[in-house]
């Protein structure tokens, strides 16, 4: 990075650190923070979408759809995260490849499963074996988003399902009395009012999601915890210009500060959101706001 | 104009052929001197150098991929990369799931390292990396085995007293013991384990395995593999005679 970095052994402490903290691996470390933030930014709305769809399905009046929604919530919530991340992703990837294989290589006669091996034709590979590394990494990231969304979507579905049931029944009956159809009642009366009941549960999920990102490395995406462990590990002078002892504590301390900062930041945001949603609601929070404005 | 079209067509064609041979090499990136991440953030080490040379000799386009040790075999058999080149010893258990090339690193000596001399490695608590031949050896030796996901953590366990000793590849331990300033010491004699280190491939990938086997043979024959072994592991390392037999130095 800096011109004086060619021979770090001779540098003073400050300059040594300025070189050490800006070398190639550290840039990968900093980049992984962006990766994690991007994952959160993409996964949260997608998971909420899965959750909303799941909750809608679960309270449907059409039995098969309702069973589907309830089965999704029960099964995904029941399977341990780590098992889900290890096996589901490989299965999902193989599922994609299997479909592409059937479409792209109809004349293929060899079996796809040969012992332990999973073999599809070259053209069906996801991504293609010839693609550059960034395509592979983006694909891994995409699989991570889907997996996180399915898992957290199931939890969100349960929270939203509860939120929908918590809306006072009198509200729905009144809507019906006004002649609204079931669809209108759902979108105009139920959905705007349920968020305030769902938000505490959803905010918990958001916090858990922030801290679940180290699972990314199981999917081959190098996250901040992976790099902290890798960079903090003992380095001997034979393999690096910057030898040091076991510095994992300092790297993890930095992660601790990052995670606590994220938590604090989220809390402020969620509190504001709660306040906004409580406006005009028949809850104690809404009542408090009403008194504030009238007093 | 016609020439231009022809050359682009030729370029596209040759590019297509060259691209079709991309082989993805999976490694752990956390086991110096076999494989590690260098200051620039790239995969480096003995295996990086050997792997690149093997690909050149076999006429393959290679690309390096990092993967966690725990899931390195499942990801190979499901086709996320094509080879494992990660200091993986050839053992019968692994051979049932995947195939190995011939060894490009002679049967390894493992060694015990502890914080003091008087440790009994057959009855104390011994650390090893999960799913390694060393972990299997410790479990069979009568000592209490504690497993860790990375080699770094096994050594940290000895430093903080959680384990009495660690069993790992001797070559991994040597630089760490040298630079520990007497804090860590080798215990007893090296323990010979495993059938050498080879590249892991899918059982159905016989063709690719043949290519790498031939390339390893040619590197053993002209001595270039020995040069790399000595460069990364020092003079004391076992090398190969031109016919592929192991020479102990």
């Amino acid at each position: 990075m800096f011109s004086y970095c060619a021979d770090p052994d001779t540098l003073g402490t400050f300059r040594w650190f300025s070189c050490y903290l800006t070398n190639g691996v550290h840039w990968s470390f900093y980049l992984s923070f962006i990766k994690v933030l991007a994952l959160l930014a993409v996964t949260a709305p997608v998971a909420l979408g899965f959750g909303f769809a799941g909750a809608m399905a679960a309270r449907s009046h059409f039995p098969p759809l309702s069973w589907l929604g309830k089965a999704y919530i029960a099964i995904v919530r029941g399977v341990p995260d780590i098992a889900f991340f290890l096996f589901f992703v490989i299965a999902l990837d193989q599922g994609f490849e299997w479909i592409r294989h059937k479409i792209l290589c109809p004349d293929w006669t060899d079996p796809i499963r040969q012992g332990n091996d999973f073999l599809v034709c070259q053209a069906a590979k996801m991504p293609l074996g010839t693609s550059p590394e960034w395509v592979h990494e983006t694909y891994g990231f995409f699989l991570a988003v889907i997996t996180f969304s399915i898992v957290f979507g199931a939890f969100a579905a349960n929270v939203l399902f509860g939120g929908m049931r918590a809306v006072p029944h009198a509200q729905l009956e009144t809507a019906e009395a006004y002649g609204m159809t079931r669809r209108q009642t759902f979108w105009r009366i139920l959905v705007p009012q349920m968020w305030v009941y769902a938000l505490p549960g959803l905010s918990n999920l958001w916090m858990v999601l922030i801290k679940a990102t180290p699972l990314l490395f199981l999917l081959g995406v190098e996250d901040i915890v992976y790099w902290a462990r890798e960079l903090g590990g003992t380095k001997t002078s034979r393999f690096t210009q910057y030898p040091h002892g076991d510095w994992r504590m300092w790297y993890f301390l930095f992660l601790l500060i990052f995670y606590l900062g994220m938590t604090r930041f989220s809390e402020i945001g969620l509190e504001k959101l709660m306040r906004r949603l409580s406006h005009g609601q028949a809850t104690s929070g809404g009542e408090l706001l009403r008194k504030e404005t009238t007093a | 104009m016609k020439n231009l079209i022809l050359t682009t067509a030729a370029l596209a064609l040759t590019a297509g052929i060259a691209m079709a041979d991309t082989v993805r090499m999976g490694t752990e990136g956390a086991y110096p001197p076999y494989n590690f991440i260098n200051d620039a953030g790239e995969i480096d080490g003995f295996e990086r150098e050997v792997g690149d040379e093997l690909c050149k000799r076999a006429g393959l386009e290679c690309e390096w991929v990092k993967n966690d040790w725990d899931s390195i075999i499942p990801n190979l058999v499901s086709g996320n990369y094509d080879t494992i080149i990660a200091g993986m010893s050839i053992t019968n258990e692994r051979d049932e799931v995947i195939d190995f090339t011939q060894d490009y690193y002679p049967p390894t000596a493992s060694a015990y390292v502890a914080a003091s001399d008087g440790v009994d490695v057959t009855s104390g608590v011994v650390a090893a990396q999960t799913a390694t031949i060393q972990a299997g050896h410790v479990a069979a030796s009568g000592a209490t085995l504690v497993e860790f996901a990375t080699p770094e953590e096994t050594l940290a366990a000895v430093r903080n007293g959680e384990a009495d000793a660690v069993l790992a590849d001797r070559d991994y331990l040597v630089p760490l013991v040298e630079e520990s300033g007497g804090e860590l010491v080798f215990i007893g004699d090296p323990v010979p384990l495993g059938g050498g280190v080879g590249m892991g491939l899918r059982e159905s990938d016989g063709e690719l395995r043949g290519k790498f086997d031939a390339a390893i043979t040619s590197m053993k024959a002209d001595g270039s593999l020995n040069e790399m072994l000595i460069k990364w592991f020092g003079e004391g390392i076992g090398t190969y005679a031109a016919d592929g037999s192991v020479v102990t130095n």
Side-chain angles (χ1 to χ4, degrees), chain A residues 84-112:
Chain A
F84 207 85
F85 277 87
L86 269 180
F87 299 109
F88 178 77
V89 179
I90 289 182
L92 187 72
D93 180 40
Q94 292 187 346
F96 284 143
E97 290 189 348
W98 185 81
I99 293 168
R100 282 167 58 92
H101 179 81
K102 289 282 165 205
I103 296 168
L104 295 170
C105 308
D107 337 315
W108 191 268
T109 50
D110 295 340
I112 292 180

Side-chain angles (χ1 to χ4, degrees), chain A residues 147-206:
Chain A
T147 318
F148 269 103
S149 300
I150 290 176
V151 173
F152 282 86
F155 288 96
N158 206 37
V159 170
L160 292 175
F161 186 67
M164 287 175 185
R165 294 224 294 209
V167 173
H169 206 65
Q171 296 275 337
L172 307 182
E173 278 171 359
T174 312
E176 215 170 316
Y178 271 99
M180 286 191 188
T181 63
R182 200 177 262 166
R183 179 183 293 258
Q184 282 172 329
T185 313
F186 180 77
W187 286 110
R188 296 186 191 175
I189 307 298
L190 184 71
V191 171
Q193 290 192 72
M194 70 158 187
W195 293 111
V196 70
Y197 300 102
L199 196 65
L202 290 180
S203 69
N204 272 351
L205 275 183
W206 167 249

Side-chain angles (χ1 to χ4, degrees), chain A residues 23-26 28 86 90 93-94 97 114-119 122 125-126 128-133 136 217-218 220 222 226-227 229-230 232-243 245-246 248, chain B residues 19-20 22 24 28-30 32-33 36-41 63-68 71 74-75 77-80 82 96-98 149-150 152-153 156 159 175-176 179 202-205 231-234:
Chain A
N23 67 8
V25 257
H26 275 86
S28 309
L86 269 180
I90 289 182
D93 180 40
Q94 292 187 346
E97 290 189 348
Q114 294 182 18
N116 293 303
D117 299 358
F118 179 84
L119 291 172
Q122 280 299 321
K125 281 263 181 212
M126 268 292 264
L128 294 173
T130 54
S131 312
E133 186 56 23
H136 285 273
F217 192 56
L218 288 177
E222 286 142 8
Y226 163 79
W227 280 116
R229 209 172 48 188
E230 163 68 32
T234 315
K235 298 275 185 293
T236 53
S237 55
R238 272 185 61 192
F239 311 118
T240 171
Q241 288 190 295
Y242 306 95
D246 190 348
R248 283 179 301 170
Chain B
M19 294 295 271
T22 304
R24 289 164 57 77
E28 189 195 8
F36 60 94
I37 312 298
N38 66 15
D39 288 340
E63 196 163 49
W64 290 83
V65 188
K66 248 180 295 174
N67 201 88
D68 201 19
S71 58
N75 273 312
V77 295
S78 101
N80 289 345
D82 305 303
E96 280 167 20
V97 186
I98 57 175
T150 60
E152 173 71 28
E153 287 162 295
R159 284 208 169 99
L176 293 162
E179 293 201 9
R202 280 184 292 276
E203 294 197 316
S204 52
D205 238 356
K231 174 183 168 196
W232 288 99
F233 297 99

Side-chain angles (χ1 to χ4, degrees), chain A:
Chain A
M1 178 85 175
F2 304 109
S3 53
Y4 54 82
C5 288
D7 193 8
D9 287 344
T10 58
L11 297 173
T13 313
F14 176 76
R15 284 193 154 193
W16 189 88
F17 272 102
S18 73
C19 291
Y20 174 67
L21 293 175
T22 53
N23 67 8
V25 257
H26 275 86
W27 285 112
S28 309
F29 179 48
Y30 306 141
L31 193 69
S32 67
F33 279 91
I34 296 174
K35 258 189 228 171
V36 165
L37 292 175
L39 179 94
L40 290 174
V42 178
T43 306
V46 177
L48 197 61
F50 270 89
F52 198 81
M56 262 170 75
R59 65 190 300 287
S60 158
H61 289 274
F62 178 57
L65 195 62
S66 153
W67 295 331
L68 189 77
K70 283 180 178 155
Y72 165 59
I73 295 174
I75 292 172
V76 177
R77 281 185 356 151
V79 176
D81 278 5
I82 195 151
F84 207 85
F85 277 87
L86 269 180
F87 299 109
F88 178 77
V89 179
I90 289 182
L92 187 72
D93 180 40
Q94 292 187 346
F96 284 143
E97 290 189 348
W98 185 81
I99 293 168
R100 282 167 58 92
H101 179 81
K102 289 282 165 205
I103 296 168
L104 295 170
C105 308
D107 337 315
W108 191 268
T109 50
D110 295 340
I112 292 180
R113 285 235 160 257
Q114 294 182 18
N116 293 303
D117 299 358
F118 179 84
L119 291 172
V120 292
C121 62
Q122 280 299 321
K125 281 263 181 212
M126 268 292 264
L128 294 173
T130 54
S131 312
E133 186 56 23
W134 70 266
V135 177
H136 285 273
E137 281 183 10
T138 313
Y139 179 69
F141 187 81
F142 163 77
L143 282 183
V145 168
I146 295 190
T147 318
F148 269 103
S149 300
I150 290 176
V151 173
F152 282 86
F155 288 96
N158 206 37
V159 170
L160 292 175
F161 186 67
M164 287 175 185
R165 294 224 294 209
V167 173
H169 206 65
Q171 296 275 337
L172 307 182
E173 278 171 359
T174 312
E176 215 170 316
Y178 271 99
M180 286 191 188
T181 63
R182 200 177 262 166
R183 179 183 293 258
Q184 282 172 329
T185 313
F186 180 77
W187 286 110
R188 296 186 191 175
I189 307 298
L190 184 71
V191 171
Q193 290 192 72
M194 70 158 187
W195 293 111
V196 70
Y197 300 102
L199 196 65
L202 290 180
S203 69
N204 272 351
L205 275 183
W206 167 249
M207 295 299 182
V208 177
L209 179 66
I210 292 177
K211 289 176 289 183
T213 49
L215 287 171
L216 274 177
F217 192 56
L218 288 177
L219 311 178
V221 180
E222 286 142 8
D223 79 304
I224 49 181
V225 177
Y226 163 79
W227 280 116
R229 209 172 48 188
E230 163 68 32
L231 291 171
T234 315
K235 298 275 185 293
T236 53
S237 55
R238 272 185 61 192
F239 311 118
T240 171
Q241 288 190 295
Y242 306 95
H244 59 75
D246 190 348
W247 281 3
R248 283 179 301 170
M249 197 178 91
W250 303 110
Y251 280 92
F252 280 105
L253 200 66
F254 180 62
L255 291 195
L256 180 80
I257 293 167
F258 171 74
Y259 278 125
L260 283 179
M262 285 288 290
T263 310
R264 183 77 200 113
F265 190 66
S266 308
E267 268 178 356
I268 294 170
L270 288 166
E271 206 169 299
K272 281 202 173 136
L273 192 62
M274 190 67 190
R275 201 182 150 83
R276 235 183 114 121
L277 289 174
S278 294
H279 264 294
Q281 297 280 357
T283 58
S284 58
E287 184 70 5
L288 216 62
L289 283 177
R290 193 183 61 78
K291 279 189 185 142
E292 263 176 39
T293 43
T294 50

Side-chain angles (χ1 to χ4, degrees), chain B residues 213-233:
Chain B
D213 254 339
I216 295 173
T217 308
S218 88
M219 280 187 75
K220 281 180 180 173
D222 66 11
S224 54
L225 185 58
N226 291 344
E227 276 170 33
M228 289 180 192
L229 281 166
I230 289 166
K231 174 183 168 196
W232 288 99
F233 297 99

Side-chain angles (χ1 to χ4, degrees), chain B residues 69 73 87-100 130-133 203:
Chain B
W69 177 258
I73 290 181
M88 187 178 269
S89 294
I90 302 165
T91 64
N92 292 333
E93 291 83 5
R94 289 181 184 137
D95 213 5
E96 280 167 20
V97 186
I98 57 175
D99 267 356
F100 284 100
T130 313
T132 55
I133 45 172
E203 294 197 316

